[in-house]
Amino acid sequence: VPRFGKIYAERSADLPLFSQILIAWGELVQGHAAVVIVALAAIVVSTIVVLRQTSVRAALGNALWRVPAIGEHLKVYQLARFYRTTGMLLKGGMPLVTALGMAGELLHPVLRGKLASASRAISEGHPVSASLDANDLATPVALRMLAVGDRSGSMGEMMERIAGFHDEELARFVDWFTRLFEPLLMAAIGLVIGAIVVLMYMPIFEL
C-alpha cells in the first residue's frame, strides 16, 4: 500500500476518500510498526482481562441466550448436562428431589428458578414429565422419554438416554455450523482483500 501511495503522490493524483484512508493506514503501519503491534497487543490483553470479569461474562451469556438459534442450543446443552447428572445420581440411589437440586447447580440462573418450581410440583406428587414440561425444562423428545420413565419407574436410565440424544443433536449442530462458518469466513476475507485491491486500482484507472 505505501508503494502505491508513493506512485499517487508523485503524480499528484486526486484520490477517493477511502483510498486516502487506506494509504494513510498503510503508511502508519510501515512507519510505526512497533507502536501498532504494542497497541494491538494491549487491546488483546485488555479484552482478555475484561472478559475474565464475572459480571461481563454473565452479561455476554445473557446476551447470547437472547439470540434465537444460539440461545436455544445453549439451553439444550445445559439441559443435557442436567439430565445426565440427575440420571447418574438417581442410578446411584439418591432421591429424585435431592438429585434435581444438586444437578440444578449446573443450570443457568433463569433455568434454576424454573427448576425450583418443578421440584415443588414433583414434591406435591405431580409427574416428573409434566412438572419439567410445565416449567420449560423438557424438549419434545425429552417429554416423551420422561413420560416413559414415569410409567416404568426407570427415570435415571431415561434421563441418561435423553442426555445422549441431546449430545448427538448438539454434535450435529456444531458440525453444521462449522461447515457453514468456513465458507462465510472465506467470503469475508475475500471481500476485505477485494476492497483493498479496488481502492488501490481505482485511482490507476482514473490516471
Side-chain angles (χ1 to χ4, degrees):
V1 170
R3 290 177 181 176
F4 273 88
K6 290 178 182 179
I7 295 173
Y8 298 142
E10 291 172 358
R11 294 180 175 273
S12 301
D14 186 16
L15 302 178
L17 175 61
F18 289 107
S19 297
Q20 295 178 26
I21 294 173
L22 181 60
I23 290 174
W25 169 250
E27 293 174 348
L28 174 66
V29 172
Q30 185 185 45
H32 306 86
V35 176
V36 172
I37 291 173
V38 171
L40 291 175
I43 292 173
V44 171
V45 172
S46 301
T47 303
I48 293 173
V49 171
V50 170
L51 290 177
R52 289 173 67 96
Q53 302 296 321
T54 305
S55 57
V56 175
R57 290 166 59 185
L60 288 175
N62 291 332
L64 287 175
W65 270 75
R66 287 192 287 269
V67 179
I70 297 177
E72 185 63 28
H73 284 88
L74 285 175
K75 177 184 173 183
V76 171
Y77 168 71
Q78 293 214 357
L79 287 178
R81 291 196 308 171
F82 166 73
Y83 284 127
R84 174 170 286 104
T85 305
T86 305
M88 292 173 61
L89 294 174
L90 289 176
K91 292 178 74 173
M94 185 172 291
L96 176 59
V97 176
T98 306
L100 291 175
M102 293 184 65
E105 298 298 323
L106 300 172
L107 294 175
H108 188 273
V110 175
L111 297 180
R112 211 175 297 162
K114 295 180 178 180
L115 178 62
S117 300
S119 296
R120 284 195 298 269
I122 294 171
S123 300
E124 294 169 358
H126 295 282
V128 177
S129 56
S131 301
L132 293 178
D133 183 50
N135 289 277
D136 198 25
L137 292 172
T139 61
V141 173
L143 177 60
R144 291 194 291 271
M145 297 181 75
L146 288 172
V148 173
D150 279 328
R151 292 193 297 269
S152 64
S154 57
M155 187 60 68
E157 181 182 353
M158 285 297 108
M159 286 195 169
E160 288 189 339
R161 288 188 181 181
I162 293 169
F165 174 83
H166 287 324
D167 284 342
E168 293 177 0
E169 181 183 3
L170 290 169
R172 287 193 297 271
F173 171 75
V174 171
D175 181 63
W176 171 83
F177 181 79
T178 303
R179 294 174 184 272
L180 176 66
F181 181 75
E182 289 177 358
L184 289 179
L185 180 61
M186 294 300 296
I189 294 173
L191 287 174
V192 171
I193 296 174
I196 293 174
V197 172
V198 169
L199 291 175
M200 287 292 92
Y201 276 91
M202 278 179 59
I204 289 181
F205 297 146
E206 294 179 3
L207 289 173

